[in-house]
Every structure is written in C-alpha cells, then in structure tokens.
Amino acid sequence: MTVCIEFPGFCVFKSTVEGHGFIKERILESINPDKNKRFGVETHNQKIYHTDWYVPSNVFKPYYSVVGGLLEAHNKKVFELLNTTDQGIEIQTVWFQQYKTGCFHGPHTHGGCNFSNVYYVDLPPGTPKTTFSFMGKKYDVDIKEGDIITFPGYLLHESPVNESEYTKTVIAFNTNMV
C-alpha cells in the first residue's frame, strides 16, 4: 500500500516493498559484486563511501534487474494517487549510495525531474534517514528498511552524518511524467 504523508506545502509518498527481506541480499550482492572495488565521493557537501552515480546511464547496472519492477510498481501507485494515470512514467536515472560511519550527503535538490525517490535497501538501527527542509523548517518521515519514498525533485533534502557503526545502502532514482 502506498500512502501520502502530508506536510505544509508538500507531500511524501511512501510504500513498503513486500518480501524485501527475501531480496535484500540479492540487491546488495548485485550492487557490490566485487567487494574489493568501490567508488567513493568526497566534496564539501557529501562524503559517500560507494556509489555508481558517475557511471553513464547507458551502462548496465546489475541491481536494476532485481529492483526495476519494484521501482516501477511503486511509481505506478504514486501516480494513481496523484490521479495522473493518463500520463506515462519514466524512470530517468538510477544509482546506489552506501554510507559508512562519517558519511553524509548535505542539503541538495534534484533538478530536471518531477520526483526524487529513495529505496532503503539496508537501514540498520542508528543509521540516518532522509530529512527534508521546506520554508525554513525541517521535516522527518517515519522510514524503515524496505520502504520507498517519493517526493518533489525541488524539495531540499539530505542524509545526515552516519554516526553509527553500520552501513546504510539506498537506491535513489528520479522520475518524470511524460
């Protein structure tokens, strides 16, 4: 079931992937088939342990064969709630990010898309969830492992510093109405 969580001026849609526990390890293995190779990013606004954000979109991403149908099903439910089923839904960009201790992704938006989405593949206790900022106020959504959230691409959001000893893994994706 997909729900709309309303805040003043915006809405976050949330659904839970049925059977997430059964596919979690398949997803993690397909994200990191060679445990000795990783691509991290560190700038003034982010420190990400491992990501494929910079891999060209035409390069095959093995985890998409595991999660693609789940992401598309989630988007279909969101667009039904928006009553926009007469329009097409296009997943534009997909990437994963892993956050170890000390990692974060500072406040940012996603330009060039209608919606941003996050699938929480591995969210151990104490790892940070996405927080939102709108009109000078901060907002949190009750998120658990196996959830997918969708929010407007213009909405300022961040992943606070991971102060836990555990690694958080997400699959992020941008969508457009076409």
Side-chain angles (χ1 to χ4, degrees):
M1 182 167 98
T2 302
V3 297
C4 174
I5 303 161
E6 295 184 41
F7 296 99
F10 70 96
C11 179
V12 175
F13 296 91
K14 180 176 90 166
S15 62
T16 301
V17 172
E18 287 186 37
H20 171 76
F22 295 110
I23 62 169
K24 175 181 169 180
E25 288 308 315
R26 284 184 49 213
I27 296 169
L28 292 173
E29 286 172 12
S30 65
I31 282 175
N32 230 354
D34 185 347
K35 307 255 186 265
N36 296 318
K37 291 184 181 177
R38 71 171 186 83
F39 181 77
V41 176
E42 191 166 347
T43 68
H44 73 284
N45 196 42
Q46 62 185 328
K47 181 179 180 185
I48 299 170
Y49 174 73
H50 187 38
T51 183
D52 67 346
W53 167 251
Y54 295 101
V55 173
S57 60
N58 63 343
V59 172
F60 175 70
K61 298 182 177 188
Y63 58 88
Y64 195 79
S65 61
V66 180
V67 301
L70 302 171
L71 307 183
E72 291 170 9
H74 168 79
N75 275 337
K76 183 177 180 190
K77 292 175 190 171
V78 168
F79 279 63
E80 286 171 1
L81 286 173
L82 289 169
N83 199 22
T84 58
T85 54
D86 57 330
Q87 292 186 269
I89 305 163
E90 178 182 79
I91 294 179
Q92 195 177 32
T93 313
V94 180
W95 68 99
F96 73 84
Q97 291 182 220
Q98 292 185 308
Y99 300 83
K100 287 195 174 265
T101 306
C103 292
F104 67 97
H105 198 158
H108 64 285
T109 62
H110 293 219
C113 67
N114 299 125
F115 296 97
S116 297
N117 311 265
V118 180
Y119 177 18
Y120 295 88
V121 176
D122 194 13
L123 191 66
T127 56
K129 301 166 179 128
T130 304
T131 60
F132 301 96
S133 299
F134 187 70
M135 306 279 297
K137 294 184 181 177
K138 291 208 175 237
Y139 299 92
D140 294 310
V141 175
D142 183 25
I143 299 166
K144 66 183 182 318
E145 185 174 288
D147 285 347
I148 301 176
I149 59 170
T150 296
F151 50 94
Y154 65 80
L155 189 60
L156 193 64
H157 61 284
E158 66 182 293
S159 180
V161 175
N162 182 3
E163 296 178 355
S164 81
E165 62 187 274
Y166 303 108
T167 301
K168 172 177 90 170
T169 302
V170 301
I171 294 175
F173 57 107
N174 291 333
T175 54
N176 275 327
M177 294 184 275
V178 294

